Amino acid sequence: MKLRLGMIGGGQGAFIGAVHRLAAALDGLYELKAGAFSSDAEKSRATGVLLGLAPDRVYASYQEMIAQESQRPETERIQVISIVTPNHMHFEPARLALESGFHVVLDKPMTFSLAEAKQLAEVVAASGKKLCLTHTYSGYPMVKEARQLVAAGALGKIRKVYVEYPQGWLSAFEEGSDNKQAAWRTDPARSGIAGAMGDIGTHAFNLLEYVSGLQVTQLCADINIVVEGRQLDDDGAVLLKLSNGASAVLTASQIAAGEENNVRIRVYGEQGGLEWQQVDANTLLMKWLDRPAEIRRTGTGYVGSFAQHNARTPAGHPEGYLEAFANLYRNFALTVQAELAGETASAEALDYPSIEEGVRGMAFIENVIASGKSDKKWTAFTV
Amino acid sequence: MKLRLGMIGGGQGAFIGAVHRLAAALDGLYELKAGAFSSDAEKSRATGVLLGLAPDRVYASYQEMIAQESQRPETERIQVISIVTPNHMHFEPARLALESGFHVVLDKPMTFSLAEAKQLAEVVAASGKKLCLTHTYSGYPMVKEARQLVAAGALGKIRKVYVEYPQGWLSAFEEGSDNKQAAWRTDPARSGIAGAMGDIGTHAFNLLEYVSGLQVTQLCADINIVVEGRQLDDDGAVLLKLSNGASAVLTASQIAAGEENNVRIRVYGEQGGLEWQQVDANTLLMKWLDRPAEIRRTGTGYVGSFAQHNARTPAGHPEGYLEAFANLYRNFALTVQAELAGETASAEALDYPSIEEGVRGMAFIENVIASGKSDKKWTAFTV
Amino acid sequence: MKLRLGMIGGGQGAFIGAVHRLAAALDGLYELKAGAFSSDAEKSRATGVLLGLAPDRVYASYQEMIAQESQRPETERIQVISIVTPNHMHFEPARLALESGFHVVLDKPMTFSLAEAKQLAEVVAASGKKLCLTHTYSGYPMVKEARQLVAAGALGKIRKVYVEYPQGWLSAFEEGSDNKQAAWRTDPARSGIAGAMGDIGTHAFNLLEYVSGLQVTQLCADINIVVEGRQLDDDGAVLLKLSNGASAVLTASQIAAGEENNVRIRVYGEQGGLEWQQVDANTLLMKWLDRPAEIRRTGTGYVGSFAQHNARTPAGHPEGYLEAFANLYRNFALTVQAELAGETASAEALDYPSIEEGVRGMAFIENVIASGKSDKKWTAFTV
Amino acid sequence: MKLRLGMIGGGQGAFIGAVHRLAAALDGLYELKAGAFSSDAEKSRATGVLLGLAPDRVYASYQEMIAQESQRPETERIQVISIVTPNHMHFEPARLALESGFHVVLDKPMTFSLAEAKQLAEVVAASGKKLCLTHTYSGYPMVKEARQLVAAGALGKIRKVYVEYPQGWLSAFEEGSDNKQAAWRTDPARSGIAGAMGDIGTHAFNLLEYVSGLQVTQLCADINIVVEGRQLDDDGAVLLKLSNGASAVLTASQIAAGEENNVRIRVYGEQGGLEWQQVDANTLLMKWLDRPAEIRRTGTGYVGSFAQHNARTPAGHPEGYLEAFANLYRNFALTVQAELAGETASAEALDYPSIEEGVRGMAFIENVIASGKSDKKWTAFTV
């Protein structure tokens, strides 16, 4: 049975709301049944019409949606709520949804502040409900393959990690024009204390910890506002120390003019290194000290159980961003369905980013911004 | 409103049936409501259960599905039927569906023989219903961009086309093992007179004519059965002449050991050339006589209307095979919905492969196999 | 001791003459001592001055050079003569040089006609002197690695070869302008019966036979003159049969607008395939049926003896076209020096293209042009 | 006339000495006439024999070579001395050579310490002789193209630079084995205070300043010794501030297991970005805010005067590391020859790394190591 889905945010013109809907639709595991798509009731209604929802399940506010859906019979009411609003509107809807008995899919960064994140962790724990945080890049089959290989010791002890996230779309003062995406992402009132570091730096941070299986322990950040008039960082570079003593470099920029969105990670251990980048998402390069590098590919028979589980087509049929995003939704659905069936979800299904990753991501934002302002070289990573 | 979809074929273990369902689901424009998933009634039922269909809409045969669905009220019965069976089971279900008033999505190659294809063309014309043939590669945004640029004369007069489709999965005698995909694709009774040329050569042929805007007029084929014991061709290379006097080369192989599925096309005109390959599907290389080559990319602001229309995410978010497949379903849905609404579909929506492409594809199969057997160098391409 | 080198042709403005000089210089195994750089005595002298030759060793004709150098004491006179003139001026100088006791380095295609080539083979045999034919691409370390791996059976029995040589520089009627390179290459009186097939098709043919270790036995050619007014073919595609029953496709074009010079070969056997292309010359891709593809690289410790022998720097220091060319000169020098020392050259040193390759290359030209004019599909490859 | 060259260091088994000889030989502008190849007189003699030098011009020490060559007639004695010894043996030979009236080609890093470098700058100034420092990467045609485009303002004001130099060859404790290259490079007595930062970090630093046309003003370094027992850094990452206010990141590692030598630089300005990497050395990617990225290529007609000047073959004939290295030698020869002829060398010829780059490189080493030890985030870059 499909899980019944409600959505908060994601009205027309919103980029990530549409992505969530495509991702939820792909595998046929969810049915969008309700929505509070905008704080403007009229806009919410219009979006609901476009999406073909029953009019009585399109709401003027998330509070209304949660309240009314809670009244519906258990076999009819929504089971999972996706929250795709700007950062300042994550915590309250998520808290209310969880406390009202709904599972939650939440866009990243998880909350507006670390304090909120820690509070939300308590809510999740108390509610017994599940939360999925959409760190997309961990949904790619070859990213999962990388993690599984590192965990199995294929590279030996990890010594160095480079992770980068270059974008160029904020090279000009876009927030001065009609660009809604730019407007809220550069606005401290809606984004929080970080710009690029929150929007894409958290993705890079998550990817680093996810693939390496290590945690950041110290960091040293150079945080910049490059475009005149901008209120939040649009560029940064960070030196990091990891829990096993290894070091790392993380860069994130939204003023790398001409770059699209090529998230890239390289991990080096005693025996070899690996490289993955989104522009060639179905390839994982494994480089070795004394034998030819290998090209591991999505959909082949030789990849590990996690990569297998997260692919839909045989090798040579490129799976992309929406499939990676859909993997988060799919694994979350499999986990929720297992619970509904009183079963234990597989390790592969349980492998979606959750509240812990969200808390660490918010800690990254606060630590990296603090380090950026500090004259000291190293700032301890505290949660 | 979502279009109500029925499916013929695509029971468990079928590769392409699952692809059709994913593609239809992605944009939320269809709802799978009925199916005759297998000629084995029990298997059909089991697939229906897995897909969460209402039990009374899972049928033991396509005839039963078409008959019973036709009885349902117009607002409830399926509107589009996807046919995803092996080639020998395309024509009859398609004919019956069209004559019973359903629109049809049909996997390629269109029929078992050219004679059937021409007959189906008459059925389509008589029925007034629409048919979409799933030549996936024409659904990629950058393939559409290529076609639009060629049509606009960007390369000048076309002089040379290379198209290739290398696969390695039939390098061994797979049909001797438990491989269902291999079994029917190498069986003349189910595939028709061609193996590789039908299965993937038709894709290459379609891509050639689609991108170049030209038609094949003559061909000279080297058709091989490489693996011992195989009944149909598993490898071939074809020299071709095109309607404007240009020449071309088409290769298709299923014994190119180690190759996945890297369909690739290069087109050269008086002013420059273009290159697209599935492994880097979101890139279209434009090469010029006397200036730097250009990298055109899916999701950017500068691509043409067809590429724009067929992408879902901004540049840098890779769109893959399922998205390309989904574009066929989406454009077909937009066309059908426009008709339902009494409107005219846009040129971009109308740009899906249809009966004409199907007839030419079957003609390609018959001509290429005939040429393969001929001692004469050139065989005229006849339909 | 450096070998003393004389050169015939290669006056100012000649592309390939300069390449020969760079290639001969690189490893310090030759010293250019004499030259007849042009049939115009004044031009020859001017080139000699530029190159810093002693004035009395710059000659007005190759006959004069050969005659006078023969008179010099053995310890002083040139030992090797490089012939870098257009095709119609290969045979006579080569014959005279060999018969006068000089070793010869000869640019490809070897002669003006197959008849000349066979005659030259007799001259070589009778003279006891050595001849090196500059099929550059066989000089690349990774091409040698490919050949060695195929010979060792890494791919199993070879089933399919694709070789291509696309260029765009003759897309316009260059011979109508001041382009000397275009002028002689498109002139039957200087090039012979073939244009593109002679100039670059022979390279592709040589690469095919060199890497696969197989010989062409039949061919079927589509030979085109695309640019109006041109006298020789500027484009062609050829289907081929090989000595073990495998099939192949060879394409060569000089009207592939926007292409530089990306020679590329792919070979498929029962167990896997390999791919090499000049644009990424230090990489050899090995693709396998059921394990990750491998990237073999120049300068690494794991490559075979031939690749090792033909590289100068450690991995990661790109070696290019001049190094490949220099490998021919170097191996030829090592072979000549071994003979001078009464020693046996190593298998690696002896691995340079020679008279046999030259005869087969000329046979290719005559067979492919004959096939292009034939109505029959298959033409037997005859020498 | 060829310049007469002497060499200090570069006995058998030395990597970089052989590279210098190949680079000097390629264009026929130098003739190696003398050498003091080793501090072991016997080894020096043996190398001289191998290289075919006159026995009386193979010396037991550099002092002897300089003394004796100075006695030879001006038309016979060497004119340029290449110094290819380990770092601690750069200054004294260079000083003596310059003061004795010889031009000098010197391997990098220029000296053992910054103090030596500044002293050498005074020697150069006083001697009136020229010095060329072999920062190879600035010799690549496409690196020169990058610099010329940036200088011409193609990218607008520069905002961000990433430069990286990953190697894996010191992943194990190589200095514990028989590896001579590893032995001296990891030995403070021969290398100086830095390992990776001196050996390859200086290359990255030079590339950064060369391409961007900017100077480093502050830095913040994370310097690591990863391999147990090693005495010098084998890995580091540096945050930098540049003279126009832009920021940069530089990484250099010799423990990036599986990496060969892929130096890479990316520069972003207001209008676009550029990317060059050694593994694809003949390509310069230009990325733009709102139009397709461009692929600029060595040997094409559209590149600037510096790229034109530094290439030897038409587009599509890969030029590699030795050609880049040879460009330094060639430009230095052209400059020296112009002086000998009383002419002014062209801007393109004068574009070789020299004493200023050497002083800044040594300042980089001292500043980066100091920063690595500092608790303060930013260290001013002082010379």
Side-chain angles (χ1 to χ4, degrees):
Chain A
M1 283 298 298
K2 294 187 181 192
L3 292 170
R4 293 177 298 276
L5 183 67
M7 180 169 276
I8 298 173
Q12 288 174 264
F15 158 59
I16 208 65
V19 166
H20 277 256
R21 286 191 294 263
L22 290 158
L26 182 63
D27 295 296
L29 297 171
Y30 295 88
E31 186 160 18
L32 183 64
K33 286 287 192 188
F37 300 106
S38 170
S39 52
D40 173 333
E42 191 42 51
K43 280 192 186 167
S44 183
R45 212 176 322 270
T47 300
V49 168
L50 261 170
L51 296 171
L53 296 197
D56 66 334
R57 299 185 80 172
V58 183
Y59 302 94
S61 73
Y62 73 85
Q63 294 92 336
E64 187 191 331
M65 178 171 86
I66 290 171
Q68 297 206 9
E69 288 290 325
S70 299
Q71 305 302 316
R72 293 185 183 270
E74 207 175 330
T75 57
E76 192 187 306
R77 73 166 171 247
I78 55 176
Q79 297 160 294
V80 177
I81 295 179
S82 287
I83 302 172
V84 299
T85 44
N87 308 347
H88 70 305
M89 285 290 293
H90 284 187
F91 175 73
E92 277 302 335
R95 191 191 54 74
L96 187 59
L98 289 160
E99 290 179 353
S100 306
F102 298 97
H103 301 291
V104 165
V105 177
L106 189 51
D107 209 72
K108 45 52 53 189
M110 193 166 72
T111 50
F112 191 72
S113 67
L114 176 58
E116 274 186 7
K118 291 199 268 192
Q119 210 178 327
L120 191 61
E122 290 171 17
V123 173
V124 168
S127 71
K129 293 296 155 187
K130 299 186 185 307
L131 180 144
C132 173
L133 188 71
T134 51
H135 273 307
T136 329
Y137 305 102
S138 71
Y140 275 106
M142 287 300 102
V143 169
K144 297 200 176 276
E145 176 78 354
R147 174 181 164 89
Q148 194 171 14
L149 285 165
V150 168
L155 303 184
K157 189 192 164 209
I158 299 309
R159 291 168 158 186
K160 191 86 194 182
V161 183
Y162 301 114
V163 61
E164 60 191 51
Y165 199 144
Q167 291 183 331
W169 72 291
L170 289 178
S171 290
F173 190 66
E174 296 293 334
E175 56 270 53
S177 72
D178 208 27
N179 187 329
K180 283 188 189 179
Q181 296 301 320
W184 79 257
R185 281 183 165 84
T186 58
D187 175 6
R190 286 177 282 175
S191 253
I193 61 170
M197 281 296 146
D199 191 20
I200 60 175
T202 47
H203 274 310
F205 169 81
N206 179 256
L207 192 60
L208 187 169
E209 293 202 343
Y210 180 73
V211 172
S212 71
L214 301 171
Q215 289 199 326
V216 172
T217 57
Q218 295 183 76
L219 43 71
C220 167
D222 176 26
I223 303 294
N224 304 297
I225 297 178
V226 172
V227 173
E228 214 181 302
R230 185 156 290 158
Q231 295 185 68
L232 291 173
D233 60 287
D234 48 20
D235 174 83
V238 194
L239 309 174
L240 310 105
K241 296 294 180 187
L242 307 182
S243 42
N244 74 342
S247 62
V249 183
L250 179 157
T251 61
S253 184
Q254 296 181 313
I255 54 88
E259 293 293 343
E260 296 179 344
N261 205 48
N262 192 19
V263 194
R264 182 178 179 228
I265 186 165
R266 289 171 287 173
V267 179
Y268 300 96
E270 291 168 331
Q271 310 301 330
L274 64 78
E275 177 173 354
W276 177 87
Q277 53 185 329
Q278 194 186 212
V279 80
D280 187 16
N282 294 294
T283 291
L284 176 66
L285 269 181
M286 301 297 294
K287 305 174 182 184
W288 305 105
L289 271 183
D290 44 21
R291 59 183 203 270
E294 290 167 330
I295 303 173
R296 299 181 83 85
R297 299 268 302 156
T298 304
T300 55
Y302 55 73
V303 295
S305 62
F306 286 78
Q308 298 269 13
H309 172 78
N310 286 280
R312 292 165 186 80
T313 46
H317 301 79
E319 307 212 6
Y321 175 82
L322 292 175
E323 285 83 352
F325 214 110
N327 284 336
L328 307 186
Y329 266 94
R330 178 167 170 261
N331 288 328
F332 193 59
L334 295 176
T335 298
V336 168
Q337 286 173 332
E339 190 184 66
L340 292 174
E343 295 166 1
T344 308
S346 70
E348 289 78 10
L350 287 167
D351 181 33
Y352 58 83
S354 182
I355 186 74
E356 292 77 16
E357 286 84 350
V359 171
R360 287 196 64 78
M362 292 311 301
F364 170 72
I365 290 175
E366 304 221 341
N367 282 293
V368 85
I369 296 297
S371 171
K373 291 181 177 156
S374 170
D375 286 340
K376 272 179 36 192
K377 187 189 280 179
W378 295 108
T379 298
F381 188 97
T382 53
V383 180
Chain B
M1 282 299 296
K2 295 187 181 192
L3 292 170
R4 293 177 298 277
L5 183 68
M7 180 169 277
I8 298 172
Q12 285 175 265
F15 158 58
I16 208 66
V19 167
H20 277 256
R21 287 191 293 265
L22 290 159
L26 183 62
D27 296 294
L29 297 171
Y30 296 86
E31 187 159 16
L32 183 63
K33 285 288 191 188
F37 299 107
S38 170
S39 51
D40 173 333
E42 190 42 52
K43 278 192 185 167
S44 182
R45 212 178 323 271
T47 300
V49 168
L50 261 171
L51 296 171
L53 295 197
D56 64 336
R57 299 186 79 171
V58 183
Y59 302 94
S61 72
Y62 73 86
Q63 294 92 337
E64 186 191 332
M65 179 173 85
I66 289 172
Q68 297 207 10
E69 287 290 326
S70 298
Q71 306 300 317
R72 291 185 184 269
E74 207 176 330
T75 56
E76 195 186 304
R77 71 165 171 250
I78 56 175
Q79 298 161 291
V80 177
I81 295 179
S82 287
I83 302 172
V84 299
T85 44
N87 307 348
H88 70 306
M89 287 289 294
H90 283 188
F91 174 73
E92 277 302 336
R95 190 191 54 72
L96 186 59
L98 290 160
E99 290 180 352
S100 305
F102 298 97
H103 300 291
V104 166
V105 177
L106 189 51
D107 209 70
K108 46 50 59 187
M110 192 167 72
T111 49
F112 191 71
S113 67
L114 175 58
E116 273 187 8
K118 291 199 267 193
Q119 209 178 328
L120 192 61
E122 289 170 19
V123 173
V124 168
S127 72
K129 292 297 154 187
K130 299 185 183 307
L131 180 146
C132 174
L133 187 72
T134 52
H135 273 306
T136 328
Y137 305 102
S138 72
Y140 276 107
M142 287 299 101
V143 169
K144 295 199 176 277
E145 177 78 355
R147 174 180 163 88
Q148 194 171 14
L149 285 165
V150 168
L155 302 183
K157 189 191 163 210
I158 299 309
R159 291 168 158 187
K160 191 87 195 181
V161 183
Y162 300 115
V163 61
E164 59 190 52
Y165 198 144
Q167 291 183 333
W169 72 290
L170 290 178
S171 290
F173 191 65
E174 297 293 335
E175 56 270 54
S177 74
D178 208 27
N179 188 328
K180 284 188 190 180
Q181 297 301 322
W184 79 258
R185 283 184 165 84
T186 58
D187 175 6
R190 286 177 282 175
S191 254
I193 61 169
M197 281 295 145
D199 192 19
I200 60 175
T202 46
H203 275 310
F205 169 80
N206 180 257
L207 192 59
L208 188 170
E209 292 202 342
Y210 181 72
V211 172
S212 71
L214 300 171
Q215 290 199 327
V216 172
T217 56
Q218 294 183 79
L219 42 72
C220 166
D222 176 26
I223 304 294
N224 304 298
I225 297 179
V226 172
V227 173
E228 213 179 305
R230 185 156 289 157
Q231 296 185 68
L232 291 173
D233 58 288
D234 48 20
D235 174 80
V238 194
L239 309 174
L240 311 104
K241 297 293 180 187
L242 308 181
S243 43
N244 75 341
S247 62
V249 183
L250 179 157
T251 61
S253 183
Q254 297 182 313
I255 55 87
E259 294 293 342
E260 296 178 345
N261 206 47
N262 192 18
V263 196
R264 182 180 179 226
I265 185 165
R266 289 171 287 172
V267 179
Y268 299 96
E270 291 168 331
Q271 310 302 330
L274 64 78
E275 177 173 354
W276 177 86
Q277 54 185 328
Q278 193 185 214
V279 81
D280 188 16
N282 295 294
T283 290
L284 176 65
L285 269 181
M286 302 296 295
K287 305 174 181 185
W288 304 107
L289 271 183
D290 45 20
R291 59 184 204 271
E294 289 168 331
I295 303 173
R296 300 181 83 84
R297 297 270 301 156
T298 303
T300 55
Y302 55 73
V303 294
S305 61
F306 286 78
Q308 297 269 12
H309 173 78
N310 286 281
R312 292 163 187 78
T313 47
H317 300 79
E319 306 212 7
Y321 175 82
L322 292 174
E323 285 83 351
F325 214 110
N327 284 335
L328 306 186
Y329 267 94
R330 180 169 168 257
N331 289 327
F332 192 59
L334 295 176
T335 297
V336 168
Q337 286 172 332
E339 189 184 66
L340 292 174
E343 293 166 3
T344 307
S346 69
E348 288 79 10
L350 288 165
D351 181 34
Y352 59 83
S354 183
I355 187 74
E356 291 78 16
E357 286 84 350
V359 171
R360 286 196 65 78
M362 293 311 301
F364 170 73
I365 290 176
E366 303 220 343
N367 283 291
V368 85
I369 296 298
S371 170
K373 291 180 177 158
S374 171
D375 286 340
K376 273 180 36 193
K377 188 189 280 179
W378 295 107
T379 297
F381 188 97
T382 53
V383 180
Chain C
M1 283 299 297
K2 294 187 181 190
L3 292 171
R4 293 177 299 278
L5 184 68
M7 180 169 276
I8 298 172
Q12 286 174 264
F15 158 58
I16 206 68
V19 166
H20 277 255
R21 286 191 294 266
L22 290 158
L26 182 63
D27 296 295
L29 296 172
Y30 296 87
E31 186 162 14
L32 183 63
K33 285 289 192 186
F37 300 107
S38 171
S39 51
D40 173 332
E42 191 41 52
K43 279 191 185 165
S44 183
R45 214 177 322 270
T47 302
V49 168
L50 261 169
L51 297 171
L53 294 197
D56 65 336
R57 299 186 81 172
V58 182
Y59 303 94
S61 72
Y62 73 85
Q63 294 94 335
E64 187 191 331
M65 180 173 84
I66 290 172
Q68 297 206 9
E69 288 289 326
S70 298
Q71 304 302 318
R72 294 187 183 268
E74 208 175 328
T75 57
E76 194 187 302
R77 71 166 172 248
I78 55 175
Q79 298 160 293
V80 177
I81 295 179
S82 287
I83 301 172
V84 299
T85 44
N87 307 349
H88 70 305
M89 286 290 294
H90 282 188
F91 175 73
E92 278 302 335
R95 190 191 54 73
L96 186 60
L98 290 160
E99 290 179 351
S100 306
F102 298 98
H103 301 291
V104 166
V105 177
L106 191 51
D107 210 72
K108 45 49 61 187
M110 192 166 73
T111 49
F112 191 72
S113 67
L114 176 56
E116 274 187 6
K118 291 199 267 192
Q119 209 179 328
L120 192 61
E122 290 170 18
V123 173
V124 168
S127 72
K129 294 296 155 186
K130 297 184 185 309
L131 182 146
C132 174
L133 189 72
T134 51
H135 273 308
T136 328
Y137 305 103
S138 72
Y140 275 106
M142 287 301 101
V143 170
K144 294 197 177 281
E145 177 78 355
R147 174 180 164 88
Q148 194 171 16
L149 286 165
V150 169
L155 303 183
K157 190 192 162 210
I158 300 308
R159 291 168 158 185
K160 190 85 195 182
V161 183
Y162 301 115
V163 60
E164 60 190 50
Y165 199 144
Q167 292 183 331
W169 71 291
L170 289 179
S171 290
F173 190 64
E174 296 293 334
E175 57 269 54
S177 73
D178 207 28
N179 188 329
K180 284 188 190 180
Q181 297 301 321
W184 79 258
R185 282 184 165 84
T186 58
D187 175 4
R190 286 178 281 176
S191 255
I193 60 170
M197 281 296 145
D199 192 20
I200 60 174
T202 47
H203 275 311
F205 169 80
N206 179 256
L207 192 60
L208 187 169
E209 291 201 338
Y210 182 74
V211 171
S212 71
L214 300 171
Q215 290 199 326
V216 171
T217 56
Q218 294 183 79
L219 40 71
C220 167
D222 176 25
I223 303 294
N224 304 298
I225 296 178
V226 172
V227 173
E228 212 181 305
R230 186 156 287 159
Q231 296 185 67
L232 292 173
D233 59 287
D234 48 20
D235 174 82
V238 194
L239 309 174
L240 311 103
K241 296 295 180 185
L242 307 181
S243 42
N244 75 341
S247 62
V249 183
L250 179 158
T251 62
S253 185
Q254 297 182 314
I255 54 88
E259 293 294 341
E260 296 179 345
N261 205 48
N262 193 21
V263 195
R264 182 178 179 228
I265 186 166
R266 289 171 286 172
V267 179
Y268 299 96
E270 291 169 333
Q271 310 302 330
L274 64 78
E275 176 172 355
W276 178 87
Q277 54 185 328
Q278 193 185 213
V279 81
D280 188 16
N282 294 294
T283 291
L284 175 66
L285 270 181
M286 302 297 295
K287 306 175 180 184
W288 304 106
L289 270 184
D290 44 20
R291 59 183 204 271
E294 289 166 332
I295 303 173
R296 299 180 85 84
R297 297 269 302 159
T298 302
T300 55
Y302 55 73
V303 294
S305 61
F306 286 78
Q308 298 268 11
H309 173 77
N310 286 280
R312 291 164 187 80
T313 46
H317 301 78
E319 306 212 8
Y321 175 81
L322 292 175
E323 286 83 353
F325 214 110
N327 285 335
L328 306 187
Y329 267 94
R330 180 169 168 258
N331 288 328
F332 192 59
L334 296 175
T335 297
V336 168
Q337 287 173 332
E339 189 184 63
L340 292 174
E343 295 166 2
T344 308
S346 70
E348 288 78 12
L350 288 166
D351 181 33
Y352 57 84
S354 184
I355 186 75
E356 292 77 18
E357 286 84 352
V359 171
R360 287 195 65 79
M362 292 311 301
F364 170 72
I365 290 176
E366 304 220 343
N367 283 292
V368 85
I369 296 297
S371 171
K373 291 181 177 157
S374 170
D375 286 340
K376 273 178 36 193
K377 188 189 278 179
W378 294 107
T379 297
F381 188 96
T382 54
V383 180
Chain D
M1 284 298 298
K2 294 187 180 190
L3 292 171
R4 293 177 298 278
L5 183 68
M7 180 169 276
I8 299 172
Q12 289 174 263
F15 157 59
I16 208 67
V19 166
H20 277 256
R21 285 191 295 265
L22 290 159
L26 182 63
D27 296 295
L29 296 172
Y30 296 87
E31 186 161 17
L32 184 63
K33 286 288 193 187
F37 300 106
S38 171
S39 52
D40 174 332
E42 192 40 54
K43 278 192 186 165
S44 183
R45 213 176 323 269
T47 301
V49 168
L50 262 170
L51 296 171
L53 294 197
D56 65 336
R57 299 186 80 171
V58 182
Y59 302 94
S61 73
Y62 73 85
Q63 294 93 336
E64 189 191 329
M65 179 172 83
I66 290 172
Q68 296 206 10
E69 288 288 326
S70 298
Q71 304 302 315
R72 292 186 185 268
E74 208 176 328
T75 57
E76 195 186 303
R77 71 167 172 248
I78 55 175
Q79 297 161 292
V80 176
I81 296 179
S82 287
I83 302 171
V84 299
T85 45
N87 306 349
H88 70 306
M89 285 291 292
H90 283 187
F91 174 73
E92 278 302 335
R95 190 191 53 73
L96 187 59
L98 290 160
E99 290 180 350
S100 305
F102 299 97
H103 301 291
V104 166
V105 177
L106 191 49
D107 209 73
K108 46 50 57 186
M110 193 165 73
T111 50
F112 191 72
S113 67
L114 175 57
E116 274 187 6
K118 291 199 267 192
Q119 210 178 329
L120 191 61
E122 290 170 17
V123 172
V124 168
S127 72
K129 293 296 153 187
K130 298 186 184 308
L131 181 146
C132 173
L133 189 72
T134 51
H135 273 307
T136 329
Y137 305 102
S138 72
Y140 275 106
M142 286 300 101
V143 169
K144 295 198 178 280
E145 177 79 354
R147 174 180 164 88
Q148 193 171 13
L149 285 165
V150 169
L155 303 183
K157 191 190 163 211
I158 299 309
R159 290 168 159 186
K160 192 85 194 183
V161 183
Y162 301 113
V163 60
E164 60 191 51
Y165 198 144
Q167 292 184 332
W169 71 291
L170 290 178
S171 290
F173 190 65
E174 297 293 335
E175 56 270 53
S177 72
D178 208 27
N179 187 328
K180 284 187 190 180
Q181 297 301 322
W184 80 257
R185 282 184 163 85
T186 59
D187 175 5
R190 287 178 281 176
S191 255
I193 60 171
M197 281 295 146
D199 191 20
I200 59 174
T202 47
H203 274 311
F205 169 80
N206 179 255
L207 192 60
L208 187 169
E209 293 202 344
Y210 181 72
V211 172
S212 71
L214 301 171
Q215 290 199 325
V216 171
T217 57
Q218 294 183 77
L219 41 72
C220 167
D222 176 26
I223 304 294
N224 304 298
I225 297 179
V226 172
V227 173
E228 211 180 305
R230 186 156 289 159
Q231 297 185 66
L232 291 174
D233 58 289
D234 50 18
D235 174 81
V238 194
L239 309 175
L240 311 104
K241 296 294 181 186
L242 307 182
S243 42
N244 76 340
S247 61
V249 183
L250 180 157
T251 61
S253 184
Q254 297 182 311
I255 54 88
E259 293 292 343
E260 296 179 344
N261 205 47
N262 193 20
V263 195
R264 182 178 179 228
I265 185 165
R266 289 171 285 172
V267 179
Y268 299 96
E270 292 169 330
Q271 310 301 331
L274 66 78
E275 177 172 354
W276 177 87
Q277 53 185 328
Q278 193 185 215
V279 81
D280 188 15
N282 295 294
T283 291
L284 176 65
L285 269 182
M286 302 296 297
K287 306 175 181 184
W288 304 107
L289 271 183
D290 44 21
R291 59 183 203 272
E294 288 167 333
I295 303 173
R296 300 181 83 84
R297 297 269 301 158
T298 302
T300 55
Y302 54 72
V303 294
S305 61
F306 286 79
Q308 298 269 13
H309 173 78
N310 287 280
R312 292 163 187 80
T313 46
H317 300 78
E319 306 212 6
Y321 175 80
L322 292 175
E323 285 84 350
F325 214 110
N327 285 336
L328 306 186
Y329 267 94
R330 180 169 168 258
N331 288 328
F332 192 58
L334 295 176
T335 298
V336 168
Q337 287 173 332
E339 189 183 65
L340 292 174
E343 295 166 0
T344 307
S346 69
E348 288 79 11
L350 287 166
D351 181 34
Y352 58 84
S354 183
I355 187 74
E356 293 77 16
E357 285 83 352
V359 172
R360 287 195 65 79
M362 292 311 302
F364 170 72
I365 291 176
E366 303 220 342
N367 282 292
V368 84
I369 296 298
S371 171
K373 292 181 176 156
S374 170
D375 286 340
K376 273 178 37 194
K377 187 188 280 180
W378 294 107
T379 297
F381 188 96
T382 54
V383 180

